[in-house]
């Protein structure tokens, strides 16, 4: 039984670590957060199943606990804007640029309520518009050397 709990905790730990790596890279070393959340999610799952809940519902509740407050990601939002609006920025550069921009655009992010429900509110569209304008200005002031796909770089 104890081994099952350890396996459940490890399962949730791996899932949270992968999620943080993808959406919140600044938090990948937040050991206390990862341990606390993965243990709590595993406990909730096991308690829910023991109380007679079906496994799908128990897993859904455990996931909600695991990812609470982490659904919105400044980093991921910036990566998406870069990939959609600036497809010539190489994918390997997008992540490092998004990390830099996340810090640079703190003032913009601070004006919004960035909770898990922001995607369903009108303010999300306003945030995206403001970030897009700031990103455009940033890239005008800090041009990135990018090659167009399928063409060799222009040499003089």
């Amino acid at each position: 039984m104890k081994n099952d709990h350890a396996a459940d905790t490890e399962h949730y730990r791996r899932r949270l670590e992968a999620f943080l790596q993808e959406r919140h890279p600044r938090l990948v070393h937040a050991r206390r957060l990862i341990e606390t959340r993965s243990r709590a999610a595993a406990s909730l799952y096991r308690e829910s199943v023991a109380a007679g809940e079906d496994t799908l519902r128990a897993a859904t509740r455990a996931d909600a606990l695991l990812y609470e407050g982490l659904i919105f990601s400044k980093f991921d939002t910036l990566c998406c804007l870069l990939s959609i609006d600036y497809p010539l920025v190489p994918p390997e550069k997008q992540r490092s640029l998004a990390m830099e921009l996340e810090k640079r655009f703190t003032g913009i992010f601070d004006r919004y309520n960035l909770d898990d429900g922001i995607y369903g509110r009108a303010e999300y569209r306003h945030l995206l518009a403001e970030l897009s304008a700031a990103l455009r200005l940033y890239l005008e002031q800090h041009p990135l050397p990018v090659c167009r796909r399928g063409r060799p770089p222009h040499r003089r």
Side-chain angles (χ1 to χ4, degrees), residues 40-74:
S43 291
L44 179 59
Y45 174 79
R46 295 193 52 75
E47 289 166 10
S48 297
V49 170
E53 244 178 70
D54 68 86
T55 56
L56 181 59
R57 176 73 179 131
T60 300
R61 290 182 64 215
D63 282 349
L65 177 63
L66 188 68
Y67 301 122
E68 183 179 359
L70 298 171
I71 301 303
F72 177 79
S73 165
K74 298 172 189 178

Side-chain angles (χ1 to χ4, degrees), residues 16 19-20 23-24 27 33 37 64-74 114-116 119:
L16 183 56
F19 179 82
L20 293 176
R23 308 241 357 238
H24 296 278
L27 295 177
L33 169 75
R37 291 281 182 100
L65 177 63
L66 188 68
Y67 301 122
E68 183 179 359
L70 298 171
I71 301 303
F72 177 79
S73 165
K74 298 172 189 178
L114 304 176
D115 63 12
D116 289 346
Y119 294 112

Side-chain angles (χ1 to χ4, degrees), residues 29 83 105 121 144:
H29 300 294
S83 67
F105 295 166
R121 297 191 303 266
L144 297 174

Side-chain angles (χ1 to χ4, degrees), residues 3 44 46 51 55 60 62-63 65 76 80 104 116 126 133 141 143 146 155:
N3 286 341
L44 179 59
R46 295 193 52 75
T55 56
T60 300
D63 282 349
L65 177 63
D76 193 52
C80 288
R104 190 172 288 271
D116 289 346
H126 297 288
Q141 294 172 351
V146 295
R155 304 212 189 253

Side-chain angles (χ1 to χ4, degrees), residues 14-155:
R14 284 192 315 268
R15 291 186 60 219
L16 183 56
E17 286 172 340
F19 179 82
L20 293 176
Q21 178 64 37
E22 185 64 28
R23 308 241 357 238
H24 296 278
R26 293 188 191 290
L27 295 177
V28 296
H29 300 294
R31 288 283 142 225
R32 183 177 297 158
L33 169 75
I34 293 167
E35 290 304 315
T36 302
R37 291 281 182 100
S38 56
R39 269 194 241 114
S43 291
L44 179 59
Y45 174 79
R46 295 193 52 75
E47 289 166 10
S48 297
V49 170
E53 244 178 70
D54 68 86
T55 56
L56 181 59
R57 176 73 179 131
T60 300
R61 290 182 64 215
D63 282 349
L65 177 63
L66 188 68
Y67 301 122
E68 183 179 359
L70 298 171
I71 301 303
F72 177 79
S73 165
K74 298 172 189 178
F75 172 79
D76 193 52
T77 300
L78 290 166
C79 280
C80 288
L81 284 173
L82 284 167
S83 67
I84 292 167
D85 294 344
Y86 300 93
L88 295 180
V89 175
E92 63 276 5
K93 178 70 174 155
Q94 286 176 2
R95 287 184 66 83
S96 61
L97 182 57
M99 295 266 299
E100 178 184 334
L101 294 171
E102 185 179 344
K103 285 188 272 186
R104 190 172 288 271
F105 295 166
T106 298
I108 295 171
F109 287 116
D110 287 348
R111 290 193 287 271
Y112 294 89
N113 179 13
L114 304 176
D115 63 12
D116 289 346
I118 190 169
Y119 294 112
R121 297 191 303 266
E123 72 178 307
Y124 179 63
R125 289 189 302 279
H126 297 288
L127 171 63
L128 291 179
E130 196 171 346
L131 287 172
S132 290
L135 181 56
R136 184 174 35 259
L137 181 62
Y138 176 85
L139 290 176
E140 286 172 4
Q141 294 172 351
H142 304 89
L144 297 174
V146 295
C147 296
R148 296 195 183 274
R149 293 186 180 130
R151 292 186 183 172
H154 179 68
R155 304 212 189 253

